Amino acid sequence: MKRVQLHKFGLALACLSLTWAAGAAAPPAPPASSGGGMLGFTAASAAQQRQLEQRFDSMLSASEMRDWLKRLSSEPNQVGSPHDKVNAEWMLAQFKQWGWDAHIETFDVLYPTPEQELVEMVAPTTFKATLHEPPIKGDPTSYLSGALPPYNVYGADGDVTGELVYVNYGMPDDYKELARLGVSVKGKIVIVRYGGGWRGLKPELAYQHGAIGCLIYSDPRDDGYFTGDPFPKGPTRPPEGVQRGSVAKMQIYPGDPTTPGYGSVPGAKHLPLKDVKTILKIPVLPISYADATPLLKAMGGPLAPENWRGALPFTYHVGAGPAKVHMVVKSNWDLKPIYDVIAKLPGTGDADQWVIRGNHHDGWVFGAFDPLAGTIALLGEAKAMGTLYKQGWRPKRTIVYASWDGEEPGLLGSTEWAETHAKELQAKAVAYINSDTNGRGFLFAGGSHSLQHLVNQVAAGVTDPEKKVSVQQRQRAHLDVEAAQKGASPMLKETAKLAGANGDIPISPLGSGSDYSAFLEHLGIATLDLGFGGEANQGGVYHSRYDDFDHFSRFGDPTFDYGVALAEVAGHIVMRTADAEVLPMRFGDVSSTLDRYVQQLHKEVDSERKAAEAQHKLLDAGAYKLASDPDHPVAPPARLSDVPNIDLAPLDAAAKQLKESAQAYEKAYNARAAKGLDIPSSQLQQVNQMMAMLEQRLLDAQGLPGRPWYRNMIQAPGELTGYAPKTIPAVHEALDARDWSRADKYAAVTAKVLDNYRAQLDKLTALLQE
């Protein structure tokens, strides 16, 4: 499910690319950390760890990963398909063969599948959409049967007819522009294009504005012929390609919609459909640009604003009408089983501390890129670790590998497993390392900032397959180049400056869209999300039947060397976390990142105030003019409210105190590290236990306003961004909503959470100082 934009690196940290000379030098030894050497290790144990990682790397095979991908993607692989279960059972057998203690956990989840779909234009002319992806000559996999038709899971059933309104990407600002054009969607069917925000927000916002149905199409400007040759000649979306996907309101909670907050184990109580909060109220369907063309071409009304116009060869209008559409969606709302494969390698001294690694195995059809390119890396890691285990290696902490099912509909397998085992996980889990899609290019890392230095140390020791420098060097160099370009964003420039200042590349906060959500945002477990991308153009086949082995082996990762690179990065992180004397976390990075997040709040308050003042001047001067279309005048916007003084002082004070506490911790840790981490075993166990549970102090029991499942007060998916993260989300979203009293309230709530985190960090420091 992970948004494909992640691997186009729309985030500042990931927008990295640079051409290096072939045959450049191999990566140098990783840089020194706090206290010198490998974080969490003594000098002697660090040397042993590097030798272990070299043995691990030697066991990874690109050709083996290629064979696994071909097998796993050989038939349709969606939830409920025979091949989905076959894949789970095959992976279970592999884990057992490799020496893991493995089993399958089954959950019963609501998973609607289409019984009837219809989209037809009934005026001013007639047209019936095909709603089908045909086989493509040159792509033998696309001829296989067993795929469900394109649909959006968790949209409502319905039979509606209405005039069509084009709403661009269907995001909040688009509705503001539509209102200025004097066009309403009330009682209408909207047609929106993919992109600009998460798909599930498009029909939800349409419903909130009064629409009765929603069609989502893929415009060739975004991922079709405008960006490159269509498949099979090139990688981009062919005319009949359709992006499937979930439209569940996961910003409220992910997982099985009928078991909110608890596991959907066999026999669990399921809410009736009328009481489920995450299912939409209107029907929604995805369509291809081949099917969208006659609909859009028949529309009238005002000209679409210039930045709303796609690449189809006609003039874009917004409507309403004269195009009128009849739309039918009818689904089978059954419970279906999903199959999580769970495997363990038991630890020795700290066996009750778990390092968890996961990637899902279900796809929308064949799923070669999403998610099986990540799954094969996970399998490579598991085989190598199992071999090391048979050869005598014993991790200090227990390692848990998970191949999740049901991620695509709404993070079902990971969420239900985490909710079922919540108490045990909060007592035992020290970290969760996630991956999903994978391709060629640059390393992306996002998650808990306490793990930032660990990621950088590992990335500095893994060689990029193409450029033969470390993946960190390649990432840093392109970051510098991109930041120097004209028009580079302030965020990108700041990131480049930070990377140059302390040697580490900051990792991104996380929102949603993959299996880390339950661990990071609900349970408070330190989390990482990893993957390579930026050079593999997979966006055109994302969530379509053309995301198959033939496409991926041509345009994704033809040599499968980046599958090996992902296995090296994720595997080294897992093994270091499992074997370190002291957990490899650094809390100064949490403090410095939090400082930036608080400063962003101040900038947003200033920005809102300036925007209101500027708009008031324009309104008072009557400066808003008619649209370029003289037949459709533009209405002036609604007057923005004045911005009062927002009290961010509690957050400022909490951030300042946390900085002082983090500095004290670093000093105490460095003193111990200088003496070879000479910590008595009983004290060391306490240290590691406190470190493992520190992330939980960033949770608030009441959760975010209106969506209590999300309890992390530092990073969460935005209520109106979907996948994209919001930092200090309760305050940021109050400012976005111009709810000034709520902003004040949650500034104080978040400050209290940070004070609790700081108090626990102070106890950890005192323990190290004993």
Side-chain angles (χ1 to χ4, degrees):
M1 176 186 289
K2 181 184 290 185
R3 64 197 183 280
V4 77
Q5 287 89 343
L6 178 106
H7 290 286
K8 292 178 180 176
F9 291 120
L11 294 176
L13 304 185
C15 215
L16 314 173
S17 164
L18 184 66
T19 303
W20 286 78
S33 68
S34 299
M38 187 182 291
L39 185 62
F41 290 80
T42 65
S45 62
Q48 293 174 352
Q49 187 68 20
R50 290 195 179 95
Q51 291 175 357
L52 179 71
E53 292 170 5
Q54 289 172 358
R55 290 167 58 198
F56 170 87
D57 293 349
S58 70
M59 298 173 187
L60 301 173
S61 167
S63 62
E64 197 166 43
M65 291 183 189
R66 180 187 179 91
D67 292 342
W68 290 336
L69 185 72
K70 193 167 188 177
R71 178 191 185 104
L72 293 168
S73 64
S74 61
E75 295 181 37
N77 191 36
Q78 70 273 5
V79 167
S81 67
H83 194 58
D84 180 51
K85 184 179 181 182
V86 167
N87 277 348
E89 292 172 340
W90 178 81
M91 286 187 286
L92 174 66
Q94 300 309 301
F95 276 113
K96 289 182 175 180
Q97 179 183 328
W98 297 333
W100 294 70
D101 177 11
H103 65 280
I104 287 178
E105 290 194 37
T106 302
F107 299 95
D108 295 328
V109 297
L110 179 70
Y111 182 69
T113 51
E115 288 185 352
Q116 181 185 2
E117 297 179 341
L118 172 69
V119 175
E120 59 181 353
M121 182 162 55
V122 296
T125 184
T126 60
F127 165 76
K128 186 175 181 180
T130 61
L131 305 180
H132 171 68
E133 291 179 305
I136 286 182
K137 186 177 181 180
D139 179 15
T141 310
S142 66
Y143 284 82
L144 298 176
S145 61
L148 291 171
Y151 79 113
N152 289 128
V153 69
Y154 302 125
D157 286 353
D159 185 335
V160 297
T161 301
E163 289 182 317
L164 208 58
V165 177
Y166 173 55
V167 200
N168 192 30
Y169 291 119
M171 293 292 105
D173 286 346
D174 295 323
Y175 282 96
K176 294 176 183 177
E177 183 66 21
L178 202 66
R180 293 184 64 230
L181 293 172
V183 178
S184 170
V185 302
K186 189 172 183 179
K188 309 296 194 299
I189 293 174
V190 301
I191 182 167
V192 303
R193 55 174 168 159
Y194 269 112
W198 180 55
R199 81 179 68 77
L201 292 172
K202 299 172 188 287
E204 174 62 16
L205 289 169
Y207 167 73
Q208 291 177 11
H209 285 83
I212 59 174
C214 178
L215 299 173
I216 313 177
Y217 83 101
S218 300
D219 198 284
R221 173 174 284 274
D222 299 310
D223 61 14
Y225 57 73
F226 190 83
T227 65
D229 289 321
F231 189 57
K233 181 180 179 181
T236 72
R237 190 177 301 277
E240 298 84 5
V242 182
Q243 183 189 140
R244 296 155 175 81
S246 178
V247 292
K249 290 190 277 188
M250 285 188 289
Q251 65 271 34
I252 299 177
Y253 61 85
D256 176 21
T258 62
T259 59
Y262 59 94
S264 56
V265 296
K269 180 182 178 181
H270 291 261
L271 295 177
L273 289 182
K274 64 181 179 62
D275 295 332
V276 174
K277 296 181 179 180
T278 57
I279 296 174
L280 297 189
K281 303 296 186 183
I282 60 173
V284 53
L285 282 174
I287 62 175
S288 66
Y289 67 80
D291 277 342
T293 293
L295 307 180
L296 291 166
K297 201 171 183 179
M299 293 181 66
L303 290 173
E306 185 174 351
N307 62 349
W308 286 32
R309 301 169 196 169
L312 293 171
F314 50 78
T315 303
Y316 285 65
H317 291 264
V318 300
K324 181 180 284 190
V325 168
H326 176 216
M327 178 182 180
V328 179
V329 177
K330 184 179 180 181
S331 305
N332 181 348
W333 292 85
D334 282 349
L335 297 180
K336 291 182 176 62
I338 57 172
Y339 309 98
D340 287 348
V341 186
I342 308 296
K344 291 183 181 179
L345 284 180
T348 53
D350 294 315
D352 281 341
Q353 288 198 317
W354 293 0
V355 183
I356 307 171
R357 167 81 171 98
N359 200 108
H360 72 102
H361 60 79
D362 66 296
W364 275 110
V365 188
F366 304 106
F369 167 64
D370 182 9
L372 297 175
T375 295
I376 59 174
L378 178 143
L379 291 175
E381 298 159 32
K383 182 178 181 180
M385 287 183 201
T387 303
L388 291 171
Y389 193 85
K390 290 178 180 179
Q391 293 174 352
W393 167 63
R394 295 292 182 269
K396 288 184 175 65
R397 299 175 181 86
T398 296
I399 297 174
V400 181
Y401 266 51
S403 180
W404 310 116
D405 199 0
E407 189 268 1
E408 293 296 357
L411 320 183
L412 305 184
S414 57
T415 300
E416 299 313 312
W417 189 80
E419 290 176 343
T420 299
H421 301 281
K423 187 175 181 180
E424 185 177 28
L425 288 169
Q426 286 192 306
K428 296 181 178 180
V430 302
Y432 173 69
I433 294 91
N434 188 70
S435 61
D436 196 324
T437 60
N438 194 51
R440 300 192 319 278
F442 313 98
L443 176 67
F444 168 84
S448 300
H449 301 294
S450 59
L451 300 176
Q452 177 173 293
H453 193 58
L454 170 63
V455 173
N456 274 267
Q457 283 203 324
V458 167
V462 173
T463 301
D464 178 82
E466 290 182 350
K467 306 307 176 187
K468 309 307 178 186
V469 297
S470 78
V471 298
Q472 187 199 46
Q473 281 180 280
R474 190 178 186 199
Q475 189 183 21
R476 187 194 315 282
H478 197 101
L479 178 59
D480 289 341
V481 170
E482 291 296 304
Q485 298 299 309
K486 183 179 180 180
S489 71
M491 180 187 294
L492 189 60
K493 292 179 180 179
E494 181 184 24
T495 302
K497 182 179 179 181
L498 289 167
N502 66 12
D504 276 354
I505 299 173
I507 64 174
S508 297
L510 292 177
S512 190
S514 197
D515 288 305
Y516 51 76
S517 278
F519 299 95
L520 176 66
E521 294 150 353
H522 186 63
L523 297 181
I525 295 166
T527 294
L528 287 173
D529 185 43
L530 305 168
F532 284 87
E535 291 185 338
N537 190 338
Q538 299 292 302
V541 298
Y542 180 62
H543 286 192
S544 79
R545 79 178 295 125
Y546 310 121
D547 176 11
D548 57 24
F549 179 82
D550 304 277
H551 189 283
F552 186 81
S553 60
R554 289 181 60 196
F555 303 111
D557 181 15
T559 64
F560 288 79
D561 287 336
Y562 279 96
V564 172
L566 175 57
E568 289 179 359
V569 172
H572 294 187
I573 289 172
V574 168
M575 290 192 294
R576 289 191 191 185
T577 307
D579 279 342
E581 281 92 345
V582 176
L583 284 171
M585 297 175 173
R586 197 169 76 170
F587 303 108
D589 296 323
V590 179
S591 170
S592 59
T593 304
L594 183 70
D595 283 343
R596 298 197 299 276
Y597 292 166
V598 172
Q599 289 307 308
Q600 287 168 6
L601 289 176
H602 282 281
K603 290 177 181 177
E604 184 168 347
V605 171
D606 291 341
S607 177
E608 292 285 356
R609 182 174 290 113
K610 290 176 182 177
E613 291 171 353
Q615 188 220 42
H616 296 169
K617 289 180 180 179
L618 290 172
L619 284 171
D620 294 343
Y624 288 95
K625 303 297 183 182
L626 298 182
S628 57
D629 183 350
D631 295 327
H632 301 91
V634 173
R639 191 178 186 91
L640 296 175
S641 62
D642 292 323
V643 181
N645 290 323
I646 307 298
D647 186 10
L648 298 178
L651 276 173
D652 292 333
K656 180 180 178 181
Q657 291 172 329
L658 178 58
K659 184 175 182 179
E660 294 170 355
S661 292
Q663 290 172 343
Y665 168 81
E666 293 292 332
K667 182 178 179 180
Y669 173 83
N670 289 344
R672 288 287 196 173
K675 297 179 180 180
L677 295 174
D678 59 337
I679 306 173
S681 58
S682 60
Q683 186 183 11
L684 181 61
Q685 188 175 19
Q686 283 184 277
V687 166
N688 283 320
Q689 187 66 23
M690 291 178 71
M691 292 178 76
M693 301 183 74
L694 196 55
E695 190 88 10
Q696 293 179 39
R697 295 299 179 111
L698 296 177
L699 304 182
D700 180 71
Q702 303 303 311
L704 298 181
R707 43 195 188 125
W709 189 92
Y710 290 98
R711 300 188 291 177
N712 191 311
M713 303 303 285
I714 304 304
Q715 49 185 310
E719 194 168 13
L720 291 176
T721 60
Y723 288 163
K726 281 285 186 180
T727 57
I728 314 184
V731 183
H732 251 130
E733 296 195 321
L735 294 176
D736 292 343
R738 305 181 71 78
D739 187 337
W740 314 125
S741 62
R742 176 154 60 100
D744 278 344
K745 174 183 176 180
Y746 279 95
V749 169
T750 306
K752 184 176 180 181
V753 167
L754 292 173
D755 286 340
N756 289 336
Y757 181 90
R758 175 183 53 80
Q760 188 73 353
L761 182 59
D762 288 343
K763 291 179 182 179
L764 177 59
T765 302
L767 190 60
L768 283 173
Q769 290 172 337
E770 288 181 5

